[in-house]
Amino acid sequence: MSVHFDVVRLRVNGDERAAGVPSHYTLLETLRYGLGLTGSKQGCDKGDCGACTVLLDGEPVLSCITPVHEAEGREVTTVEGLGRPDTPHPLQSAFDRFGAGQCGFCTPGILCSSAALLARDPDPGLDQVRDALSGNLCRCTGYTKIYDAVLHAARVQRGGGES
Amino acid sequence: MLRLPPYRYHRPERLDEALELLEAHGAMARIIAGGTDLIPNMKHGLFTPDHLVSLRGLGELKGIEAKPKGGLRLGAGVTLAEVAASEAVLGAAPALARAARNVAGPQLRNAGTLGGNLCLDTRCTYYNQSEFWREALGYCLKKDGDRCHVTRTGRVCVAAHSADTPPVLMALGATLELASPRGRRTMAIRDFFMPDGVWNQKREPDEVVTAIEVPPVEDGLRRRTAHGKLRVRKSIDFPLLSMGLAAWFDDAGTVVGLEGVVTGLGSRPRHLTRFGELALGERWSPDLMEALAARAHAQCTPLENHIVDPDWRKAMVPVIMRRTLEQLGPVEGAA
C-alpha cells in the first residue's frame, strides 16, 4: 500500500500540537521526527526495552508500539513535560544528585515511569519502585542509584528532604 | 530502527461500525486493541495489513462487572492493568488478576487488553524474528515458508500459545462472546483454541471478542484459583510455561473439583488429563500436591519452539506446579 499522510493533532505536555506525518507512524516517530521532541528514545523499537516510555493520560506506555492515532484525544506527557531546565522535576534533581543516569539513554523512560508511580503513590517502598521500573532496561547503573533517587524524590515531594 | 509497513487507521465508535469496516476491507484489514502483540509483529513483517480497525473507541467493550456468587463479566477491551487491579476480579477469581499481573511489564499491561491476550498470536524462535533473520533460514511453515524447523517431519506448525489469562479462564470454565458481520456467538474458552500454530483460534479473522464471562460458584462450595508462570526475565519475556488452576471445596475442606490447564508448550493451552481425579474426595495435603505435580510432569513435553532448553523446561514443570498448588491451600474445613 502507498504511504498516506495525515495531519495528526495531539495534546503534548499541555500544548495542542499538529504534525503532518505518514498515517502508519508510531507515537514515538511522531514525537521525534514530527514534533522535534527527541527526549523519548528509540531503543529496541519493538516494545522490549522501555526507552520510549511516555505517559498517556498519566499512565506509562511504550510509544514505539503505539500507533500515533491511538494517542489522539489523550494527554501525552514526555520527559520534556516533566520539568524545565530552571524548574526540574524532583525526580530530575534526584537523578542528578544521586548519579542515577550514566549513558542516559534509558533515563527519559525511567523518569516517565517513575513520575507515574509518584503521582499514584507518594510514598512507595523499594518493592513498588522496582515493580514500577520493571519494564525499563538499564544496562549501565545496576539500578541501585536509580531506586535511591526515586525514593529520595518521593521524600522531597512529600516535603521531607532537600532536593 | 524498525519501520511499520504503511497502513490506514480507523477508529470506529460503535461495534457495528467496526464490523462494517472489517467486512468492507476483508482480508486486508486487521483488528487492533492494545497493539502490544500486533505492532511488534508488523514491525517484523509478519503482517502487512492495509487497514487497522481499532477497538479503543468502543465503549461496549469496556467495564468489569461482579455477578452474584463469584461470577464475573469482563469487557474484552479492559486492559490487563485494569484486570490486575480490579476489586471484582480479586474477589471472585484472584488468579485471573494474578495472571494479568504476570503478563509483561507495567507499560505493556497499560496498553494490552484481556481480549487481545485471548487472541495473542502463537510464538516461536523461528517466527518472532526480523524479516532479515527469517529470510536467512528460508522462512518457516507459519510465515512464507513450507516447513517447520522445530519438529522432525516439519509438516505441522508447533508455535507456542503464549498467553497467561487463558489457562486460568479455561480452568474456571469461562466463556467468551464473539461478534462478526454475520452475527454473534458464545463459546467455551476451552473450545476456542486449535492445535495448529499457524492459526490456533476458532475465531474468524473478522470476528471481535467482545466479552468474557466467568461462571458463578455452586451453592455450598468454595472456589480457589491459582496462576503460575516460568519465564527468563520477569517483566519482558513470554511464558516458557504458564498454568491456571481452579479447585472447588465443600464445607469440610474436601476437594469436589479440580481443573488444571497448562500452556507455553504447544499451539494451544491444554487441560491436564486424569488430574482432578487424583484430588476428588481428598483433603488438601503435601502428598496430594506431590502426586499432582508428578502427573503434570508426565504430561508436559516442551519442544524446541523456545530458545530455552526443553529438558530444563520439563524439569521445571513439577517445580512450578508445586508453587502454583501452594496458592490453593491450606484449606480449612469443619472437622
Side-chain angles (χ1 to χ4, degrees), chain B residues 263-276:
Chain B
T263 197
L265 303 162
S267 294
R268 65 171 166 180
R270 204 159 55 79
H271 269 270
L272 292 168
T273 56
R274 293 174 287 107
F275 182 75

Side-chain angles (χ1 to χ4, degrees), chain B residues 255-270:
Chain B
V255 181
V256 296
L258 173 65
E259 296 284 346
V261 179
V262 292
T263 197
L265 303 162
S267 294
R268 65 171 166 180
R270 204 159 55 79

